Amino acid sequence: MILLSVNHLSKSFGGLKAVSAVNMELRMGELVGLIGPNGAGKTTVFNLLTGVYQPTEGDIALRRQSIVGLKPWQINQRGIARTFQNIRLFNNLTVLENVKIAYHQHASYGIASAILRLPGFYKGEDDMSQKGIELLKIFKLEHKKDELAKNLPYGEQRRLEIARAMAAQPQLLLLDEPAAGMNPQETAELMDMIRWVRQNFDMTILLIEHDMALVMGICERIYVLDYGQIIAEGTPAEIKSNRKVIEAYLGEDISHAHGS
């Protein structure tokens, strides 16, 4: 079943066409990569999918319903969550509070219950705390639940950001360079964690990444973007040997491509 369908998607900023006639499809449960050189338009695509930008042309359909024109929070409620290239956590909140914030859109109590501090409010908060701790266990962060997010090491901040995105209970998770700034061991652990999340949460994942070992190691299909256009789509093996893709990476063998 097709979860996300992107049809003829374009975005212009003044005279510059950042994304041009992009077509993509994501099936339920797939793990797909979106790669390309610097400035290719990858993060712009993510911003279009999440309502940060509105397209100049084209359509985006989630479960066959257009999400064009919706606000980011509305798209999040419909089942798309994301992480960012530059980590965006609530630095002065605890690890657990960061996760609970994402759970609040599914809170079982209403505004009146929260304002009046009725029993339903306390029960709902307890339930969210328990769910949050269970999620933090998956990401090996439960022992840090009371620490401020800003005090976590970089790799743990990355994991917390993914955990917070998962707390929104999405069907589609967009990961924007999740391995950026990680050392090889952290990257290997991240690969294992992404695989585990996908399998155990029946999650569809689209990731932007410059670490080709990670992309080739976990993605089933890969789209390649260059100058705002899709120049190739296929399996890791097909992409690795695609002449257009190799040329887009300045003549390098794509298995050694790098950059941000």
Side-chain angles (χ1 to χ4, degrees):
M1 178 187 166
I2 302 299
L3 177 65
L4 185 82
S5 180
V6 174
N7 298 300
H8 210 75
L9 192 67
S10 298
K11 178 63 180 177
S12 297
F13 296 98
L16 173 68
K17 211 158 195 179
V19 172
S20 180
V22 165
N23 294 303
M24 293 171 60
E25 279 189 344
L26 300 181
R27 293 183 283 275
M28 295 282 285
E30 271 195 307
L31 208 170
V32 179
L34 179 62
I35 66 171
N38 293 342
K42 302 180 298 294
T43 295
T44 300
V45 169
F46 268 27
N47 285 336
L48 288 164
L49 295 180
T50 53
V52 175
Y53 298 151
Q54 293 301 320
T56 310
E57 297 171 43
D59 191 38
I60 304 161
L62 182 68
R63 297 187 303 277
R64 298 184 181 174
Q65 291 193 321
S66 179
I67 56 172
V68 171
L70 298 182
K71 305 286 188 198
W73 65 268
Q74 293 172 314
I75 291 174
N76 185 254
Q77 281 191 331
R78 278 163 175 75
I80 299 180
R82 74 176 292 182
T83 64
F84 292 86
Q85 212 168 331
N86 302 310
I87 295 171
R88 296 188 190 179
L89 293 169
F90 297 102
N91 284 323
N92 291 312
L93 296 182
T94 67
V95 168
L96 181 56
E97 285 167 342
N98 265 272
V99 170
K100 280 179 68 176
I101 278 175
Y103 275 124
H104 271 99
Q105 65 173 303
H106 302 287
S108 58
Y109 57 82
I111 293 173
S113 184
I115 292 170
L116 299 172
R117 293 294 194 264
L118 300 176
F121 165 78
Y122 292 106
K123 183 182 185 307
E125 286 292 306
D126 286 346
D127 288 347
M128 281 189 280
S129 291
Q130 281 306 116
K131 280 184 185 173
I133 290 166
E134 289 303 312
L135 191 59
L136 290 174
K137 281 180 185 172
I138 292 167
F139 290 88
K140 299 177 182 172
L141 290 169
E142 77 277 9
H143 61 295
K144 300 281 185 83
K145 67 183 175 67
D146 297 320
E147 285 195 28
L148 295 183
K150 67 182 179 184
N151 294 334
L152 294 182
Y154 183 85
E156 290 183 351
Q157 287 190 12
R158 277 275 173 208
R159 293 213 303 275
L160 176 57
E161 193 182 31
I162 297 172
R164 187 180 63 186
M166 290 291 301
Q169 299 171 25
Q171 289 184 299
L172 173 60
L173 181 61
L174 307 178
L175 301 177
D176 193 348
E177 295 197 37
M182 286 188 170
N183 62 41
Q185 184 184 340
E186 287 171 332
T187 300
E189 289 172 358
L190 177 75
M191 281 176 70
D192 289 340
M193 188 178 68
I194 292 171
R195 279 197 198 99
W196 193 95
V197 164
R198 181 272 191 97
Q199 288 164 0
N200 288 273
F201 287 85
D202 196 22
M203 184 73 54
T204 305
I205 298 173
L206 177 65
L207 69 91
I208 293 172
E209 187 49 71
H210 282 287
D211 186 321
M212 286 298 110
L214 188 152
V215 170
M216 298 293 169
I218 65 174
C219 292
E220 296 159 299
R221 287 193 303 124
I222 298 168
Y223 286 96
V224 186
L225 203 61
D226 190 30
Y227 292 108
Q229 296 182 307
I230 298 288
I231 60 167
E233 181 262 328
T235 65
E238 289 167 343
I239 294 300
K240 209 181 276 192
S241 59
N242 185 297
R243 177 52 49 190
K244 273 189 183 176
V245 177
I246 293 167
E247 286 171 3
Y249 274 86
L250 309 177
E252 297 180 34
D253 180 335
I254 193 169
S255 61
H256 298 112
H258 60 279
S260 63

